[in-house]
């Protein structure tokens, strides 16, 4: 590889709010790059730790003007956008986006494009999504700007779509009737190795303009990948029966029902698994040497992903990608409601818990922590959404007790968070209208707090009105119970924190009274257990 220049490299990352882009940006910053990101909604970066360290340009790949602005003065452009779950003629949309990027990069004098596509066999019968990825690579390679087009297979990492599909299929099903593609060969790659190659691509010689296959050291059947996960997760290996009657369409419906992956994502993933996706060449080794210690094995990649999940340290997730068909518009301010039909459900409850205690419960809602009211009703609503192709209730949350703007929370998305006082969630279940849920923690004069909860619904047509009135009888049970139990949980948590503080204070007193400190040997033994 060539040596880095002494001045900071100016880098543009498209897809910075996505799974790979959201991990690449902080690593580019750590490497000393001057980073700019092009995003449709800068609000999604509100709580991202690195947001203050990058130049944010609002726009998208379909807007040549915003692309021209974002590409000015850039040395390396990363193309990390793919319309995985898009409907309609997404291939045409992808072609236009790639042409726009190629034109903008050439006009701005960009010296390198780095693109991440997919491994695929050499055939004329590729699935639409694999075909589209390959075509985007060809357009960029023909741009006149030196391009490295990586072709990667299944990416394994905490929060990746492929890993989550494997995880949920294996966790849920003790016996798996599966499509015949479980016998196909896959060459997975750890997300850490994908990031290694993306970072190193900025330094390849200027005359390199070609595709490179990248993959991990293991070539496995898809069924072996599921059972490899089972072993790392402490589960029994799953008997797998390959059934020829399970067409890609039927298989995608099955995946939609038993995993959090919505149908819009399951269909292209399943379609892509109809082929053996393995490396056809290893030319990358002559341009970018393997990482120190070698590429990550599949089992180790799974182990690392599970460890990240246990630690609540999932950096980015497939969940935070935009959901097809879901409302993406923010809630209008109350004065803007004039002239619109809006339904609201208001609940409030006074509690002796301090606002900070109440907020901890609010921010940790959802996922494994539940919704504090009528679990069966929430579960049924989630299954109904899955049946019609929605996201369902099982997407969970990225972090067990902390949220940030743009995070997914089951079938909601965090639209706004004023940490310590206010949370607004936007519904992403399929409903005939637009829906939000707000929760507030407000202090009272006596040191307690008031919990305020507001559900807001903008109906669409007659169906929206009928939907609201059909669920209205359940609001008294679900939303009233939710307000009651959230405040009860806040009071219980406050009592627990108070008790733990008292015990800790007692421990400090005992130590001060002469309790001998731990010996180094004792401390070391405790650290190893």
């Amino acid at each position: 590889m060539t040596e880095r220049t002494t001045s900071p490299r100016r880098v543009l990352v498209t897809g910075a709010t996505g799974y790979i882009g959201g991990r690449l940006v902080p690593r580019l910053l750590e490497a000393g790059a001057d980073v700019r990101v092009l995003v449709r909604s800068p609000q999604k970066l509100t709580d991202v730790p690195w947001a203050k360290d990058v130049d944010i340009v609002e726009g998208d790949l379909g807007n040549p003007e915003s692309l021209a602005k974002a590409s000015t003065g850039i040395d390396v452009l990363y193309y990390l956008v793919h319309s995985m779950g898009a409907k309609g003629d997404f291939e045409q949309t992808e072609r236009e986006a790639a042409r726009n990027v190629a034109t903008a990069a050439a006009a701005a004098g960009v010296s390198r494009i780095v693109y991440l596509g997919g491994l695929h066999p050499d055939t004329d019968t590729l699935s639409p999504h694999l075909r589209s990825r390959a075509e985007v690579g060809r357009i960029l390679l023909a741009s006149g700007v030196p391009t490295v087009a990586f072709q990667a297979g299944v990416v394994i990492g905490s929060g990746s779509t492929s890993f989550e599909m494997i995880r949920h299929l294996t966790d849920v099903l003790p016996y798996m009737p599966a499509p015949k593609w479980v016998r196909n060969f896959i060459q997975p790659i750890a997300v850490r190795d994908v990031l290694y190659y993306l970072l190193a691509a900025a330094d390849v010689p200027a005359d390199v303009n070609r595709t490179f296959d990248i993959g991990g050291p293991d070539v496995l059947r898809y069924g072996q990948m599921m059972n490899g996960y089972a072993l790392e997760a402490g589960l029994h290996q799953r008997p797998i029966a390959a059934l020829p009657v399970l067409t890609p369409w039927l298989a995608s419906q099955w995946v939609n029902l038993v995993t959090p992956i919505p149908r819009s994502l399951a269909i292209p993933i399943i379609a892509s698994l109809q082929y053996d996706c393995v490396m056809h060449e290893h030319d990358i080794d002559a341009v970018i040497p393997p990482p120190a210690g070698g590429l990550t094995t599949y089992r180790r990649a799974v182990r690392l992903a599970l460890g990240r999940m246990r630690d609540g340290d999932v950096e980015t997730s497939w969940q935070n990608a935009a959901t097809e068909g879901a409302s993406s518009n923010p809630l209008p301010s109350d004065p803007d409601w004039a002239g619109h039909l809006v339904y609201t459900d208001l609940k409030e409850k006074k509690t002796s818990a301090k606002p900070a205690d109440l907020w901890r419960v609010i921010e940790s809602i959802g996922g494994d922590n539940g919704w504090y009211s009528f679990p069966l009703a929430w579960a049924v609503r989630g299954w109904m959404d899955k049946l019609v192709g929605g996201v369902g209730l099982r997407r969970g949350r990225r972090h067990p007790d902390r949220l940030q703007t743009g995070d997914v929370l089951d079938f909601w998305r965090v639209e706004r968070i004023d940490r310590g006082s206010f949370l607004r969630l936007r519904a992403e279940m399929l409903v005939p209208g637009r829906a939000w849920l707000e929760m507030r923690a407000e202090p009272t004069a006596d040191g307690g707090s008031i919990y305020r909860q507001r559900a807001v619904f903008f109906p669409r047509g007659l169906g929206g009105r009928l939907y609201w009135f059909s669920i209205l009888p359940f609001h008294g049970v679900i939303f009233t119970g939710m307000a009651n139990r959230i405040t009860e949980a806040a009071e219980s948590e406050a009592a627990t924190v108070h008790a733990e503080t008292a015990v800790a204070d007692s421990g400090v007193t005992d130590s001060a009274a002469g309790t001998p400190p731990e010996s180094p040997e004792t401390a070391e033994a405790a650290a190893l257990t």
Side-chain angles (χ1 to χ4, degrees):
M1 293 187 291
T2 60
E3 294 184 1
R4 290 188 181 277
T5 58
T6 55
S7 60
R9 180 178 281 109
R10 295 163 297 179
V11 175
L12 172 63
V13 178
T14 66
T17 59
Y19 180 73
I20 296 293
R23 298 189 180 211
L24 178 64
V25 169
R27 287 160 177 80
L28 286 167
L29 291 169
E30 185 179 349
D34 183 359
V35 180
R36 179 181 297 161
V37 298
L38 177 68
V39 293
R40 288 179 182 169
S41 302
Q43 295 83 357
K44 287 186 177 181
L45 300 179
T46 301
D47 299 310
V48 175
W50 44 261
K52 64 182 182 301
D53 300 319
V54 302
D55 178 20
I56 301 173
V57 175
E58 183 174 0
D60 61 60
L61 305 191
N63 185 327
E65 291 76 18
S66 64
L67 261 174
K69 177 182 177 182
S71 301
T72 301
I74 291 299
D75 300 315
V76 181
L77 186 156
Y78 283 92
Y79 191 115
L80 303 176
V81 176
H82 184 63
S83 305
M84 185 74 145
K87 295 180 180 179
D89 190 0
F90 75 91
E91 289 186 86
Q92 178 61 28
T93 300
E94 296 252 291
R95 278 193 295 270
E96 291 177 0
R99 288 168 182 155
N100 289 341
V101 169
T103 300
V110 172
S111 58
R112 166 70 58 198
I113 295 175
V114 182
Y115 169 62
L116 181 62
L119 274 178
H120 58 273
D122 186 11
T123 175
D124 294 330
T125 59
L126 290 175
S127 71
H129 283 268
L130 282 180
R131 184 172 64 232
S132 177
R133 287 192 172 190
E135 185 172 9
V136 167
R138 286 192 292 269
I139 291 171
L140 297 177
L141 288 165
S143 66
V145 178
T147 297
V148 170
F150 289 123
Q151 299 180 151
V154 170
V155 176
I156 302 298
S158 57
S160 77
T161 310
S162 298
F163 175 73
E164 287 299 297
M165 192 170 89
I166 292 168
R167 180 170 77 90
H168 283 276
L169 283 173
T170 310
D171 284 350
V172 171
L173 302 174
Y175 171 81
M176 285 185 280
K180 59 185 180 181
W181 50 255
V182 295
R183 294 175 176 164
N184 289 350
F185 287 102
I186 310 289
Q187 192 161 1
I189 183 169
V191 65
R192 58 172 49 201
D193 292 336
V194 173
L195 294 169
Y196 166 81
Y197 282 122
L198 288 172
L199 285 167
D203 291 319
V204 301
D207 60 346
V208 174
N209 184 66
R210 56 161 293 181
T211 62
F212 290 98
D213 290 354
I214 57 174
D218 302 313
V219 175
L220 305 166
R221 296 184 189 273
Y222 201 84
Q224 291 176 311
M225 291 173 62
M226 289 190 280
N227 275 321
Y229 166 83
L231 292 173
E232 291 298 331
L235 304 172
H236 295 296
Q237 293 195 56
R238 299 331 199 197
I240 299 174
L243 304 178
V245 296
L246 279 178
T247 65
W249 185 87
L250 283 173
S252 64
Q253 312 311 306
W254 177 242
V255 168
N256 171 65
L257 285 176
V258 302
T259 79
I261 310 299
R263 188 180 300 161
S264 59
L265 286 180
I267 289 174
I269 291 174
I270 298 301
S272 300
L273 293 174
Q274 305 307 303
Y275 315 95
D276 289 336
C277 289
V278 298
M279 295 175 65
H280 298 289
E281 43 84 8
H282 291 76
D283 297 351
I284 190 63
D285 293 343
V287 180
I288 302 175
L295 293 164
T296 310
T297 64
Y298 171 72
R299 290 275 297 272
R300 182 164 183 261
V302 170
R303 197 177 313 135
L304 291 168
L306 290 171
R308 289 276 192 175
M309 292 172 60
R310 282 192 298 269
D311 296 340
D313 189 25
V314 179
E315 193 174 350
T316 60
S317 172
W318 70 273
Q319 302 164 331
N320 289 356
T323 302
E324 185 67 25
S327 169
S328 60
N329 298 321
L331 177 65
S333 59
D334 289 5
D336 292 337
W337 291 1
H340 295 274
L341 178 62
V342 181
Y343 297 125
T344 62
D345 185 290
L346 306 175
K347 297 288 184 291
E348 65 177 52
K349 179 81 171 177
K350 191 175 184 304
T351 173
S352 60
K354 296 178 180 179
D357 299 318
L358 179 56
W359 175 254
R360 278 194 293 271
V361 177
I362 292 173
E363 191 174 5
S364 64
I365 200 168
D368 292 338
N369 301 322
W371 289 87
Y372 293 95
S373 178
F374 207 175
L376 179 60
W378 285 97
V380 169
R381 183 64 185 87
W383 274 103
M384 289 172 59
D385 195 53
K386 292 293 281 184
L387 285 171
V388 297
V391 297
L393 190 66
R394 295 173 53 210
R395 289 190 297 179
R397 47 183 295 152
R398 182 185 57 85
H399 191 278
D401 53 28
R402 189 172 176 84
L403 295 172
Q404 65 183 38
T405 304
D407 269 1
V408 155
L409 186 57
D410 293 325
F411 48 41
W412 305 89
R413 186 179 297 274
V414 178
E415 182 174 281
R416 175 182 159 191
I417 181 169
D418 300 335
R419 187 155 281 106
S421 62
F422 178 74
L423 175 65
R424 178 187 291 153
L425 306 175
R426 184 179 70 243
E428 291 197 338
M429 73 283 279
L430 297 181
V431 294
R434 298 162 60 196
W436 292 264
L437 179 62
E438 296 178 340
M439 289 169 272
R440 296 178 184 268
E442 299 180 356
T444 57
D446 60 2
S449 56
I450 292 180
Y451 171 71
R452 300 189 193 276
Q453 177 180 291
R454 179 170 73 161
V456 180
F457 184 64
F458 281 51
R460 184 175 61 245
L462 177 61
R465 291 161 172 77
L466 294 175
Y467 170 81
W468 176 262
F469 288 110
S470 69
I471 64 173
L472 199 56
F474 299 100
H475 282 188
V477 176
I478 295 175
F479 287 143
T480 300
M482 189 172 170
N484 290 337
R485 289 179 177 83
I486 283 177
T487 51
E488 289 168 4
E491 291 168 3
S492 176
E493 179 165 325
T496 300
V497 171
H498 178 74
E500 290 175 349
T501 301
V503 170
D505 290 344
S506 175
V508 171
T509 302
D510 291 344
S511 177
T515 303
E518 283 187 317
S519 67
E521 293 80 5
T522 303
E524 182 179 0
L528 292 173
T529 58

